[in-house]
Short mmCIF file of all heavy atoms in Angstrom, two decimals:
data_model
loop_
_atom_site.label_atom_id
_atom_site.label_comp_id
_atom_site.label_asym_id
_atom_site.label_seq_id
_atom_site.Cartn_x
_atom_site.Cartn_y
_atom_site.Cartn_z
N MET A 1 -1.49 -8.94 4.22
CA MET A 1 -0.51 -10.10 3.91
C MET A 1 -0.47 -11.02 5.02
O MET A 1 -0.48 -12.25 4.84
CB MET A 1 0.83 -9.58 3.56
CG MET A 1 1.81 -10.66 3.08
SD MET A 1 1.26 -11.36 1.50
CE MET A 1 2.84 -11.72 0.74
N ALA A 2 -0.38 -10.64 6.30
CA ALA A 2 -0.40 -11.54 7.40
C ALA A 2 -1.60 -12.35 7.49
O ALA A 2 -1.50 -13.57 7.92
CB ALA A 2 -0.15 -10.72 8.73
N THR A 3 -2.70 -11.73 7.15
CA THR A 3 -4.01 -12.48 7.16
C THR A 3 -3.92 -13.74 6.20
O THR A 3 -4.35 -14.78 6.47
CB THR A 3 -5.17 -11.67 6.78
OG1 THR A 3 -5.15 -10.56 7.76
CG2 THR A 3 -6.49 -12.48 6.98
N LEU A 4 -3.41 -13.55 4.96
CA LEU A 4 -3.25 -14.53 3.97
C LEU A 4 -2.31 -15.59 4.48
O LEU A 4 -2.61 -16.77 4.40
CB LEU A 4 -2.68 -13.96 2.60
CG LEU A 4 -2.44 -14.94 1.62
CD1 LEU A 4 -3.88 -15.64 1.15
CD2 LEU A 4 -1.93 -14.27 0.31
N LEU A 5 -1.20 -15.22 5.02
CA LEU A 5 -0.31 -16.24 5.52
C LEU A 5 -0.91 -17.04 6.66
O LEU A 5 -0.69 -18.27 6.77
CB LEU A 5 1.12 -15.51 6.14
CG LEU A 5 2.10 -16.38 6.63
CD1 LEU A 5 2.58 -17.41 5.56
CD2 LEU A 5 3.30 -15.61 7.10
N TYR A 6 -1.60 -16.36 7.48
CA TYR A 6 -2.36 -17.06 8.66
C TYR A 6 -3.28 -18.18 8.03
O TYR A 6 -3.35 -19.37 8.49
CB TYR A 6 -3.07 -16.20 9.51
CG TYR A 6 -3.91 -16.72 10.54
CD1 TYR A 6 -3.47 -17.43 11.65
CD2 TYR A 6 -5.33 -16.82 10.35
CE1 TYR A 6 -4.24 -18.02 12.59
CE2 TYR A 6 -6.10 -17.49 11.25
CZ TYR A 6 -5.56 -18.11 12.35
OH TYR A 6 -6.39 -18.67 13.23
N GLN A 7 -4.07 -17.83 7.04
CA GLN A 7 -4.98 -18.76 6.48
C GLN A 7 -4.36 -19.89 5.73
O GLN A 7 -4.74 -21.04 5.91
CB GLN A 7 -5.92 -18.05 5.41
CG GLN A 7 -6.81 -16.96 6.06
CD GLN A 7 -7.59 -16.14 5.08
OE1 GLN A 7 -7.30 -16.17 3.83
NE2 GLN A 7 -8.49 -15.35 5.49
N VAL A 8 -3.15 -19.59 5.09
CA VAL A 8 -2.50 -20.75 4.39
C VAL A 8 -2.01 -21.74 5.46
O VAL A 8 -2.07 -22.95 5.34
CB VAL A 8 -1.36 -20.02 3.57
CG1 VAL A 8 -0.41 -21.21 3.10
CG2 VAL A 8 -1.94 -19.42 2.44
N LYS A 9 -1.41 -21.18 6.56
CA LYS A 9 -0.82 -21.94 7.68
C LYS A 9 -1.91 -22.73 8.34
O LYS A 9 -1.78 -23.90 8.64
CB LYS A 9 -0.15 -21.11 8.60
CG LYS A 9 1.21 -20.64 8.23
CD LYS A 9 1.90 -19.82 9.35
CE LYS A 9 3.32 -19.52 8.99
NZ LYS A 9 3.91 -18.74 10.11
N LYS A 10 -3.06 -22.20 8.59
CA LYS A 10 -4.22 -22.87 9.19
C LYS A 10 -4.68 -23.93 8.40
O LYS A 10 -5.05 -25.02 8.90
CB LYS A 10 -5.29 -21.78 9.44
CG LYS A 10 -6.50 -22.23 10.12
CD LYS A 10 -7.49 -21.21 10.42
CE LYS A 10 -8.76 -21.55 11.16
NZ LYS A 10 -9.85 -20.61 11.22
N LEU A 11 -4.69 -23.85 7.02
CA LEU A 11 -5.10 -24.88 6.21
C LEU A 11 -3.97 -26.05 6.05
O LEU A 11 -4.27 -27.07 5.38
CB LEU A 11 -5.38 -24.37 4.71
CG LEU A 11 -6.57 -23.50 4.67
CD1 LEU A 11 -6.65 -22.83 3.23
CD2 LEU A 11 -7.90 -24.27 4.94
N GLY A 12 -2.91 -25.81 6.64
CA GLY A 12 -1.79 -26.72 6.53
C GLY A 12 -1.10 -26.79 5.22
O GLY A 12 -0.52 -27.78 4.79
N LYS A 13 -1.23 -25.67 4.48
CA LYS A 13 -0.60 -25.63 3.16
C LYS A 13 0.80 -24.88 3.07
O LYS A 13 1.27 -24.63 2.02
CB LYS A 13 -1.56 -24.88 2.17
CG LYS A 13 -3.03 -25.49 2.05
CD LYS A 13 -2.81 -26.66 1.25
CE LYS A 13 -4.25 -27.34 1.06
NZ LYS A 13 -4.20 -28.51 0.17
N PHE A 14 1.22 -24.44 4.21
CA PHE A 14 2.44 -23.63 4.25
C PHE A 14 3.67 -24.60 4.51
O PHE A 14 3.57 -25.41 5.46
CB PHE A 14 2.37 -22.54 5.43
CG PHE A 14 3.74 -21.70 5.48
CD1 PHE A 14 3.88 -20.71 4.69
CD2 PHE A 14 4.62 -22.06 6.45
CE1 PHE A 14 5.10 -19.94 4.74
CE2 PHE A 14 5.71 -21.22 6.59
CZ PHE A 14 5.94 -20.23 5.65
N LYS A 15 4.74 -24.45 3.78
CA LYS A 15 5.96 -25.29 4.03
C LYS A 15 7.03 -24.34 4.05
O LYS A 15 7.38 -23.61 3.12
CB LYS A 15 6.08 -26.21 2.84
CG LYS A 15 7.37 -27.05 2.84
CD LYS A 15 7.27 -28.11 3.96
CE LYS A 15 8.53 -28.93 3.80
NZ LYS A 15 8.84 -29.68 4.93
N GLU A 16 7.63 -24.22 5.21
CA GLU A 16 8.85 -23.36 5.48
C GLU A 16 10.06 -24.00 4.88
O GLU A 16 10.29 -25.26 5.03
CB GLU A 16 9.01 -23.13 6.93
CG GLU A 16 10.05 -22.06 7.19
CD GLU A 16 10.12 -21.69 8.68
OE1 GLU A 16 9.20 -21.95 9.44
OE2 GLU A 16 11.12 -21.06 9.01
N THR A 17 10.83 -23.20 4.12
CA THR A 17 12.03 -23.81 3.63
C THR A 17 13.24 -22.99 4.00
O THR A 17 13.14 -21.77 4.29
CB THR A 17 11.99 -23.96 2.08
OG1 THR A 17 11.76 -22.64 1.52
CG2 THR A 17 10.86 -24.93 1.58
N GLN A 18 14.47 -23.59 3.85
CA GLN A 18 15.60 -22.70 4.06
C GLN A 18 15.92 -21.94 2.78
O GLN A 18 15.75 -22.33 1.72
CB GLN A 18 16.87 -23.64 4.41
CG GLN A 18 16.72 -24.38 5.76
CD GLN A 18 17.98 -25.28 5.89
OE1 GLN A 18 18.61 -25.63 5.08
NE2 GLN A 18 18.06 -25.61 7.25
N ARG A 19 16.50 -20.76 3.15
CA ARG A 19 16.81 -19.82 1.96
C ARG A 19 18.13 -20.36 1.39
O ARG A 19 18.99 -20.77 2.12
CB ARG A 19 17.03 -18.42 2.56
CG ARG A 19 17.60 -17.46 1.51
CD ARG A 19 16.80 -16.22 1.60
NE ARG A 19 17.39 -15.12 0.84
CZ ARG A 19 17.37 -15.17 -0.51
NH1 ARG A 19 16.90 -16.18 -1.23
NH2 ARG A 19 17.98 -14.00 -1.17
N THR A 20 18.23 -20.30 -0.04
CA THR A 20 19.42 -20.71 -0.58
C THR A 20 19.96 -19.51 -1.37
O THR A 20 19.30 -18.85 -2.12
CB THR A 20 19.11 -21.86 -1.74
OG1 THR A 20 18.52 -22.83 -1.08
CG2 THR A 20 20.30 -22.31 -2.45
N ASP A 21 21.16 -19.10 -1.13
CA ASP A 21 21.83 -18.01 -1.87
C ASP A 21 21.82 -18.10 -3.23
O ASP A 21 22.14 -19.32 -3.74
CB ASP A 21 23.26 -17.79 -1.23
CG ASP A 21 23.27 -17.37 0.20
OD1 ASP A 21 22.38 -16.68 0.63
OD2 ASP A 21 24.30 -17.63 0.87
N GLY A 22 21.55 -17.19 -3.95
CA GLY A 22 21.57 -17.15 -5.43
C GLY A 22 20.36 -17.63 -6.03
O GLY A 22 20.11 -17.61 -7.29
N ILE A 23 19.36 -18.05 -5.40
CA ILE A 23 18.04 -18.60 -5.95
C ILE A 23 16.94 -17.67 -5.41
O ILE A 23 16.65 -17.65 -4.22
CB ILE A 23 17.77 -20.00 -5.56
CG1 ILE A 23 18.96 -20.83 -6.21
CG2 ILE A 23 16.49 -20.38 -6.16
CD1 ILE A 23 18.77 -22.34 -5.92
N SER A 24 16.29 -16.92 -6.30
CA SER A 24 15.15 -16.04 -5.88
C SER A 24 13.84 -16.73 -6.06
O SER A 24 13.70 -17.55 -6.82
CB SER A 24 15.25 -14.69 -6.56
OG SER A 24 14.72 -14.93 -7.89
N THR A 25 12.99 -16.32 -5.31
CA THR A 25 11.59 -16.73 -5.27
C THR A 25 10.99 -16.44 -6.62
O THR A 25 10.28 -17.21 -7.28
CB THR A 25 10.72 -16.11 -4.26
OG1 THR A 25 11.24 -16.47 -2.85
CG2 THR A 25 9.24 -16.78 -4.22
N SER A 26 11.33 -15.25 -7.24
CA SER A 26 10.72 -14.80 -8.51
C SER A 26 11.34 -15.76 -9.54
O SER A 26 10.37 -16.16 -10.46
CB SER A 26 11.24 -13.49 -8.74
OG SER A 26 10.70 -12.49 -7.79
N ASP A 27 12.53 -16.22 -9.48
CA ASP A 27 13.07 -17.17 -10.50
C ASP A 27 12.26 -18.49 -10.37
O ASP A 27 11.96 -19.08 -11.52
CB ASP A 27 14.50 -17.36 -10.30
CG ASP A 27 15.37 -16.17 -10.69
OD1 ASP A 27 14.79 -15.26 -11.38
OD2 ASP A 27 16.54 -16.13 -10.27
N ILE A 28 12.02 -18.98 -9.25
CA ILE A 28 11.38 -20.27 -9.02
C ILE A 28 10.03 -20.20 -9.67
O ILE A 28 9.50 -21.06 -10.43
CB ILE A 28 11.33 -20.70 -7.64
CG1 ILE A 28 12.81 -21.02 -7.19
CG2 ILE A 28 10.46 -21.80 -7.42
CD1 ILE A 28 12.92 -21.26 -5.71
N ILE A 29 9.20 -19.08 -9.38
CA ILE A 29 7.82 -18.92 -9.87
C ILE A 29 7.94 -18.90 -11.33
O ILE A 29 7.05 -19.34 -11.94
CB ILE A 29 7.16 -17.72 -9.17
CG1 ILE A 29 7.07 -18.01 -7.76
CG2 ILE A 29 5.94 -17.43 -9.85
CD1 ILE A 29 6.54 -16.86 -6.98
N MET A 30 8.80 -18.08 -11.85
CA MET A 30 8.78 -18.01 -13.26
C MET A 30 9.07 -19.29 -14.04
O MET A 30 8.47 -19.61 -15.07
CB MET A 30 9.96 -16.96 -13.87
CG MET A 30 9.51 -15.47 -13.50
SD MET A 30 7.89 -15.00 -14.17
CE MET A 30 8.25 -15.17 -16.01
N ARG A 31 9.99 -20.11 -13.47
CA ARG A 31 10.09 -21.50 -13.92
C ARG A 31 8.93 -22.29 -13.97
O ARG A 31 8.63 -23.08 -14.81
CB ARG A 31 11.29 -22.18 -13.13
CG ARG A 31 12.52 -21.60 -13.55
CD ARG A 31 13.75 -22.30 -12.67
NE ARG A 31 14.98 -21.76 -12.77
CZ ARG A 31 16.05 -22.09 -12.21
NH1 ARG A 31 16.14 -23.20 -11.44
NH2 ARG A 31 17.31 -21.49 -12.43
N ILE A 32 8.20 -22.24 -12.82
CA ILE A 32 6.99 -23.00 -12.69
C ILE A 32 5.93 -22.69 -13.70
O ILE A 32 5.35 -23.51 -14.40
CB ILE A 32 6.39 -22.94 -11.27
CG1 ILE A 32 7.30 -23.61 -10.28
CG2 ILE A 32 4.99 -23.47 -11.16
CD1 ILE A 32 7.00 -23.35 -8.77
N VAL A 33 5.72 -21.33 -13.83
CA VAL A 33 4.77 -20.80 -14.81
C VAL A 33 5.18 -21.29 -16.29
O VAL A 33 4.38 -21.72 -17.08
CB VAL A 33 4.61 -19.39 -14.69
CG1 VAL A 33 3.85 -18.68 -15.87
CG2 VAL A 33 4.00 -18.94 -13.45
N LYS A 34 6.51 -20.98 -16.61
CA LYS A 34 7.03 -21.47 -17.95
C LYS A 34 6.70 -22.93 -18.14
O LYS A 34 6.24 -23.28 -19.24
CB LYS A 34 8.44 -21.10 -18.10
CG LYS A 34 9.02 -21.44 -19.44
CD LYS A 34 10.49 -21.11 -19.40
CE LYS A 34 11.18 -21.80 -20.67
NZ LYS A 34 11.73 -23.03 -20.19
N ASP A 35 7.21 -23.80 -17.30
CA ASP A 35 7.00 -25.13 -17.45
C ASP A 35 5.62 -25.59 -17.48
O ASP A 35 5.16 -26.53 -18.14
CB ASP A 35 7.68 -25.92 -16.25
CG ASP A 35 9.32 -25.81 -16.31
OD1 ASP A 35 9.75 -25.44 -17.45
OD2 ASP A 35 9.89 -26.08 -15.28
N TYR A 36 4.74 -24.99 -16.74
CA TYR A 36 3.20 -25.21 -16.75
C TYR A 36 2.71 -25.00 -18.17
O TYR A 36 1.97 -25.77 -18.73
CB TYR A 36 2.47 -24.36 -15.64
CG TYR A 36 1.02 -24.61 -15.86
CD1 TYR A 36 0.43 -25.83 -15.30
CD2 TYR A 36 0.14 -23.70 -16.40
CE1 TYR A 36 -0.99 -26.02 -15.40
CE2 TYR A 36 -1.28 -23.83 -16.47
CZ TYR A 36 -1.74 -24.99 -16.00
OH TYR A 36 -3.07 -25.24 -16.05
N ASN A 37 3.07 -23.78 -18.74
CA ASN A 37 2.49 -23.58 -20.09
C ASN A 37 2.98 -24.57 -21.10
O ASN A 37 2.24 -24.91 -22.00
CB ASN A 37 2.94 -22.11 -20.49
CG ASN A 37 2.16 -20.99 -19.78
OD1 ASN A 37 1.03 -21.32 -19.35
ND2 ASN A 37 2.78 -19.79 -19.71
N GLU A 38 4.31 -24.99 -21.05
CA GLU A 38 4.75 -26.00 -21.81
C GLU A 38 4.06 -27.40 -21.67
O GLU A 38 3.78 -28.02 -22.65
CB GLU A 38 6.33 -26.16 -21.64
CG GLU A 38 7.12 -24.97 -22.17
CD GLU A 38 8.58 -25.10 -21.84
OE1 GLU A 38 9.05 -26.04 -21.35
OE2 GLU A 38 9.26 -24.05 -22.14
N TYR A 39 3.80 -27.63 -20.41
CA TYR A 39 3.10 -28.85 -20.12
C TYR A 39 1.66 -28.91 -20.84
O TYR A 39 1.26 -29.88 -21.33
CB TYR A 39 2.95 -29.00 -18.55
CG TYR A 39 1.95 -29.93 -18.05
CD1 TYR A 39 2.19 -31.35 -18.00
CD2 TYR A 39 0.71 -29.60 -17.60
CE1 TYR A 39 1.30 -32.26 -17.50
CE2 TYR A 39 -0.29 -30.50 -17.22
CZ TYR A 39 0.04 -31.72 -17.10
OH TYR A 39 -0.97 -32.70 -16.67
N VAL A 40 0.91 -27.84 -20.60
CA VAL A 40 -0.24 -27.70 -21.22
C VAL A 40 -0.28 -27.81 -22.77
O VAL A 40 -1.08 -28.49 -23.38
CB VAL A 40 -1.12 -26.38 -20.79
CG1 VAL A 40 -2.30 -26.09 -21.65
CG2 VAL A 40 -1.32 -26.39 -19.28
N MET A 41 0.64 -27.04 -23.36
CA MET A 41 0.79 -27.15 -24.78
C MET A 41 1.02 -28.50 -25.26
O MET A 41 0.48 -29.08 -26.30
CB MET A 41 1.81 -26.12 -25.23
CG MET A 41 1.43 -24.61 -25.07
SD MET A 41 2.71 -23.40 -25.45
CE MET A 41 3.36 -23.89 -26.97
N ARG A 42 2.06 -29.27 -24.62
CA ARG A 42 2.48 -30.50 -24.99
C ARG A 42 1.28 -31.45 -25.00
O ARG A 42 1.05 -32.29 -25.89
CB ARG A 42 3.59 -30.93 -24.19
CG ARG A 42 4.21 -32.23 -24.49
CD ARG A 42 5.42 -32.64 -23.69
NE ARG A 42 5.15 -32.60 -22.27
CZ ARG A 42 5.68 -31.74 -21.42
NH1 ARG A 42 6.59 -30.87 -21.76
NH2 ARG A 42 5.42 -31.92 -20.20
N ASN A 43 0.53 -31.41 -23.80
CA ASN A 43 -0.48 -32.38 -23.60
C ASN A 43 -1.83 -32.11 -24.46
O ASN A 43 -2.56 -33.10 -24.86
CB ASN A 43 -0.90 -32.56 -22.20
CG ASN A 43 0.27 -33.30 -21.45
OD1 ASN A 43 0.36 -34.48 -21.82
ND2 ASN A 43 0.98 -32.76 -20.58
N LEU A 44 -2.09 -30.90 -24.76
CA LEU A 44 -3.13 -30.56 -25.71
C LEU A 44 -2.87 -31.10 -27.14
O LEU A 44 -3.61 -31.63 -27.76
CB LEU A 44 -3.47 -29.01 -25.78
CG LEU A 44 -4.15 -28.48 -24.61
CD1 LEU A 44 -4.17 -26.98 -24.65
CD2 LEU A 44 -5.54 -29.00 -24.33
N ALA A 45 -1.58 -30.94 -27.46
CA ALA A 45 -1.17 -31.46 -28.83
C ALA A 45 -1.18 -32.95 -28.85
O ALA A 45 -1.37 -33.51 -29.92
CB ALA A 45 0.30 -30.89 -29.12
N ARG A 46 -0.99 -33.54 -27.73
CA ARG A 46 -1.10 -35.04 -27.64
C ARG A 46 -2.54 -35.52 -27.70
O ARG A 46 -2.78 -36.72 -27.84
CB ARG A 46 -0.49 -35.57 -26.44
CG ARG A 46 1.03 -35.47 -26.38
CD ARG A 46 1.63 -36.00 -25.03
NE ARG A 46 3.13 -35.99 -25.10
CZ ARG A 46 3.87 -36.08 -24.01
NH1 ARG A 46 3.25 -36.22 -22.83
NH2 ARG A 46 5.14 -35.90 -24.17
N GLY A 47 -3.50 -34.75 -27.66
CA GLY A 47 -4.80 -35.09 -27.71
C GLY A 47 -5.63 -35.08 -26.47
O GLY A 47 -6.86 -35.34 -26.45
N TYR A 48 -4.93 -34.63 -25.29
CA TYR A 48 -5.75 -34.53 -24.14
C TYR A 48 -6.71 -33.37 -24.27
O TYR A 48 -6.37 -32.36 -24.83
CB TYR A 48 -4.86 -34.24 -22.91
CG TYR A 48 -4.07 -35.55 -22.63
CD1 TYR A 48 -2.75 -35.83 -23.01
CD2 TYR A 48 -4.63 -36.42 -21.65
CE1 TYR A 48 -2.10 -36.82 -22.58
CE2 TYR A 48 -3.95 -37.61 -21.24
CZ TYR A 48 -2.62 -37.79 -21.81
OH TYR A 48 -2.01 -38.96 -21.39
N THR A 49 -7.81 -33.43 -23.63
CA THR A 49 -8.79 -32.24 -23.55
C THR A 49 -8.39 -31.25 -22.42
O THR A 49 -7.69 -31.66 -21.61
CB THR A 49 -10.27 -32.71 -23.55
OG1 THR A 49 -10.35 -33.21 -22.18
CG2 THR A 49 -10.63 -33.67 -24.43
N ARG A 50 -8.88 -30.06 -22.59
CA ARG A 50 -8.61 -29.18 -21.59
C ARG A 50 -9.23 -29.62 -20.26
O ARG A 50 -8.67 -29.37 -19.25
CB ARG A 50 -9.14 -27.71 -22.01
CG ARG A 50 -10.61 -27.59 -22.14
CD ARG A 50 -11.02 -26.17 -22.26
NE ARG A 50 -12.55 -26.16 -22.33
CZ ARG A 50 -13.28 -25.98 -21.23
NH1 ARG A 50 -12.66 -25.94 -20.04
NH2 ARG A 50 -14.56 -25.96 -21.27
N LYS A 51 -10.35 -30.34 -20.38
CA LYS A 51 -10.96 -30.84 -19.16
C LYS A 51 -10.12 -31.92 -18.48
O LYS A 51 -10.11 -31.96 -17.28
CB LYS A 51 -12.38 -31.30 -19.38
CG LYS A 51 -13.34 -30.12 -19.78
CD LYS A 51 -14.68 -30.57 -20.07
CE LYS A 51 -15.62 -29.54 -20.37
NZ LYS A 51 -16.96 -29.94 -20.74
N ASP A 52 -9.46 -32.76 -19.32
CA ASP A 52 -8.59 -33.73 -18.78
C ASP A 52 -7.44 -33.12 -17.94
O ASP A 52 -6.91 -33.62 -17.03
CB ASP A 52 -7.79 -34.63 -19.90
CG ASP A 52 -8.83 -35.43 -20.70
OD1 ASP A 52 -9.84 -35.87 -20.15
OD2 ASP A 52 -8.49 -35.76 -21.80
N LEU A 53 -7.04 -31.96 -18.42
CA LEU A 53 -5.95 -31.22 -17.85
C LEU A 53 -6.33 -30.27 -16.73
O LEU A 53 -5.53 -29.70 -15.94
CB LEU A 53 -5.01 -30.48 -18.84
CG LEU A 53 -4.37 -31.27 -19.96
CD1 LEU A 53 -3.93 -30.34 -21.01
CD2 LEU A 53 -3.43 -32.23 -19.37
N GLY A 54 -7.67 -30.08 -16.59
CA GLY A 54 -8.17 -29.12 -15.66
C GLY A 54 -7.83 -27.65 -15.95
O GLY A 54 -7.59 -26.87 -15.09
N VAL A 55 -7.94 -27.34 -17.23
CA VAL A 55 -7.47 -26.03 -17.72
C VAL A 55 -8.67 -25.35 -18.33
O VAL A 55 -9.54 -26.01 -19.00
CB VAL A 55 -6.52 -26.21 -18.94
CG1 VAL A 55 -6.09 -24.94 -19.55
CG2 VAL A 55 -5.17 -26.88 -18.42
N SER A 56 -8.76 -24.14 -18.02
CA SER A 56 -9.96 -23.38 -18.61
C SER A 56 -9.91 -23.15 -20.01
O SER A 56 -8.85 -23.31 -20.58
CB SER A 56 -10.00 -21.96 -17.95
OG SER A 56 -8.93 -21.11 -18.50
N TYR A 57 -10.99 -22.81 -20.62
CA TYR A 57 -11.15 -22.52 -22.03
C TYR A 57 -10.19 -21.48 -22.47
O TYR A 57 -9.49 -21.65 -23.51
CB TYR A 57 -12.65 -22.31 -22.41
CG TYR A 57 -12.80 -22.04 -23.85
CD1 TYR A 57 -12.86 -23.01 -24.79
CD2 TYR A 57 -12.84 -20.66 -24.38
CE1 TYR A 57 -13.06 -22.78 -26.11
CE2 TYR A 57 -12.98 -20.47 -25.73
CZ TYR A 57 -13.11 -21.41 -26.59
OH TYR A 57 -13.33 -21.20 -28.00
N VAL A 58 -10.14 -20.49 -21.66
CA VAL A 58 -9.39 -19.28 -22.04
C VAL A 58 -7.83 -19.68 -22.02
O VAL A 58 -7.10 -19.32 -22.93
CB VAL A 58 -9.59 -18.01 -21.10
CG1 VAL A 58 -8.66 -17.00 -21.32
CG2 VAL A 58 -11.09 -17.63 -21.34
N LYS A 59 -7.41 -20.36 -21.00
CA LYS A 59 -6.03 -20.84 -20.91
C LYS A 59 -5.73 -21.83 -22.04
O LYS A 59 -4.50 -21.69 -22.62
CB LYS A 59 -5.81 -21.44 -19.55
CG LYS A 59 -4.45 -21.99 -19.34
CD LYS A 59 -3.42 -20.77 -19.13
CE LYS A 59 -2.08 -21.34 -18.82
NZ LYS A 59 -1.14 -20.17 -18.78
N ALA A 60 -6.50 -22.62 -22.31
CA ALA A 60 -6.27 -23.63 -23.39
C ALA A 60 -6.05 -22.90 -24.74
O ALA A 60 -5.18 -23.12 -25.52
CB ALA A 60 -7.26 -24.57 -23.50
N CYS A 61 -6.78 -21.86 -25.06
CA CYS A 61 -6.77 -21.11 -26.19
C CYS A 61 -5.57 -20.21 -26.20
O CYS A 61 -4.89 -19.97 -27.28
CB CYS A 61 -8.03 -20.18 -26.43
SG CYS A 61 -9.59 -21.16 -26.75
N ASP A 62 -5.10 -19.70 -25.01
CA ASP A 62 -3.97 -18.82 -24.93
C ASP A 62 -2.82 -19.63 -25.11
O ASP A 62 -1.75 -19.04 -25.74
CB ASP A 62 -3.99 -18.24 -23.48
CG ASP A 62 -3.00 -17.27 -23.29
OD1 ASP A 62 -2.67 -16.38 -24.19
OD2 ASP A 62 -2.28 -17.35 -22.22
N THR A 63 -2.61 -20.83 -24.71
CA THR A 63 -1.37 -21.57 -24.76
C THR A 63 -1.29 -22.33 -26.05
O THR A 63 -0.11 -22.60 -26.46
CB THR A 63 -1.35 -22.70 -23.69
OG1 THR A 63 -2.48 -23.57 -23.69
CG2 THR A 63 -1.19 -22.07 -22.29
N ASN A 64 -2.35 -22.56 -26.78
CA ASN A 64 -2.26 -23.22 -28.04
C ASN A 64 -3.27 -22.84 -29.07
O ASN A 64 -4.26 -23.47 -29.32
CB ASN A 64 -2.36 -24.85 -27.89
CG ASN A 64 -1.67 -25.53 -28.88
OD1 ASN A 64 -1.37 -25.01 -30.06
ND2 ASN A 64 -1.30 -26.75 -28.63
N PRO A 65 -3.05 -21.54 -29.52
CA PRO A 65 -4.12 -21.06 -30.51
C PRO A 65 -4.43 -21.86 -31.71
O PRO A 65 -5.47 -21.81 -32.29
CB PRO A 65 -3.64 -19.63 -30.72
CG PRO A 65 -2.31 -19.55 -30.33
CD PRO A 65 -2.04 -20.71 -29.34
N LYS A 66 -3.39 -22.69 -32.10
CA LYS A 66 -3.62 -23.52 -33.34
C LYS A 66 -4.66 -24.45 -33.04
O LYS A 66 -5.37 -24.96 -34.10
CB LYS A 66 -2.31 -24.37 -33.76
CG LYS A 66 -1.20 -23.30 -34.08
CD LYS A 66 -0.04 -24.14 -34.34
CE LYS A 66 1.27 -23.10 -34.78
NZ LYS A 66 2.41 -23.91 -34.94
N LEU A 67 -4.90 -25.00 -31.85
CA LEU A 67 -5.89 -25.95 -31.52
C LEU A 67 -7.25 -25.30 -31.30
O LEU A 67 -8.15 -25.97 -30.84
CB LEU A 67 -5.45 -26.79 -30.46
CG LEU A 67 -4.26 -27.70 -30.67
CD1 LEU A 67 -3.86 -28.45 -29.40
CD2 LEU A 67 -4.54 -28.67 -31.73
N TYR A 68 -7.37 -23.99 -31.39
CA TYR A 68 -8.60 -23.25 -30.99
C TYR A 68 -9.87 -23.94 -31.51
O TYR A 68 -10.75 -24.16 -30.68
CB TYR A 68 -8.55 -21.89 -31.51
CG TYR A 68 -9.70 -21.02 -31.11
CD1 TYR A 68 -9.88 -20.38 -29.94
CD2 TYR A 68 -10.81 -20.83 -31.99
CE1 TYR A 68 -10.84 -19.61 -29.59
CE2 TYR A 68 -11.88 -20.05 -31.67
CZ TYR A 68 -11.93 -19.45 -30.40
OH TYR A 68 -13.04 -18.69 -30.12
N PRO A 69 -10.08 -24.32 -32.76
CA PRO A 69 -11.33 -24.99 -33.12
C PRO A 69 -11.60 -26.35 -32.47
O PRO A 69 -12.72 -26.80 -32.31
CB PRO A 69 -11.24 -25.11 -34.59
CG PRO A 69 -10.00 -24.38 -35.04
CD PRO A 69 -9.00 -24.15 -33.72
N ASN A 70 -10.41 -27.01 -32.05
CA ASN A 70 -10.54 -28.35 -31.51
C ASN A 70 -10.87 -28.45 -29.99
O ASN A 70 -11.06 -29.42 -29.45
CB ASN A 70 -9.44 -29.29 -31.89
CG ASN A 70 -9.20 -29.33 -33.38
OD1 ASN A 70 -10.18 -29.26 -34.12
ND2 ASN A 70 -8.06 -29.38 -33.83
N ILE A 71 -10.63 -27.27 -29.31
CA ILE A 71 -10.71 -27.26 -27.87
C ILE A 71 -12.16 -27.33 -27.51
O ILE A 71 -12.98 -26.49 -27.98
CB ILE A 71 -9.96 -26.12 -27.32
CG1 ILE A 71 -8.51 -26.07 -27.62
CG2 ILE A 71 -10.22 -25.90 -25.83
CD1 ILE A 71 -7.76 -24.90 -27.27
N GLN A 72 -12.50 -28.16 -26.50
CA GLN A 72 -13.93 -28.42 -26.12
C GLN A 72 -13.99 -27.76 -24.77
O GLN A 72 -13.36 -27.91 -23.91
CB GLN A 72 -14.29 -29.86 -26.20
CG GLN A 72 -14.19 -30.33 -27.67
CD GLN A 72 -14.31 -31.90 -27.55
OE1 GLN A 72 -14.47 -32.41 -26.53
NE2 GLN A 72 -14.26 -32.45 -28.80
#
């Protein structure tokens, strides 16, 4: 784990933040994942292609199986 943190810091991708009581990292990650899936579903339904969204074929099929035949 320390090696991963070191690599992230070395790339300048680490942002230290203050801890907020009552808000867990797990809750924040779950919100991001949930919102991401909704974002993908909404934009595929609007006509964007999976390539426009930078989404894999599997992810596009997983988030919106109704569009399966239309996903390129």
Side-chain angles (χ1 to χ4, degrees):
M1 185 67 149
T3 304
L4 179 61
L5 181 59
Y6 171 77
Q7 291 173 350
V8 172
K9 284 183 174 182
K10 186 177 175 182
L11 292 171
K13 302 286 184 177
F14 180 80
K15 174 73 173 158
E16 188 173 346
T17 59
Q18 292 182 339
R19 175 132 170 71
T20 303
D21 290 334
I23 299 176
S24 73
T25 304
S26 298
D27 290 341
I28 293 170
I29 291 170
M30 288 305 297
R31 288 180 188 178
I32 291 169
V33 170
K34 177 183 166 266
D35 291 344
Y36 174 74
N37 287 339
E38 290 175 6
Y39 164 82
V40 171
M41 289 172 56
R42 182 175 59 243
N43 284 297
L44 287 172
R46 288 180 177 165
Y48 288 95
T49 68
R50 68 174 183 86
K51 290 180 182 179
D52 292 336
L53 301 173
V55 174
S56 72
Y57 179 79
V58 172
K59 180 67 174 176
C61 293
D62 183 45
T63 56
N64 205 339
K66 292 178 186 175
L67 293 177
Y68 180 85
N70 299 330
I71 296 174
Q72 301 171 357

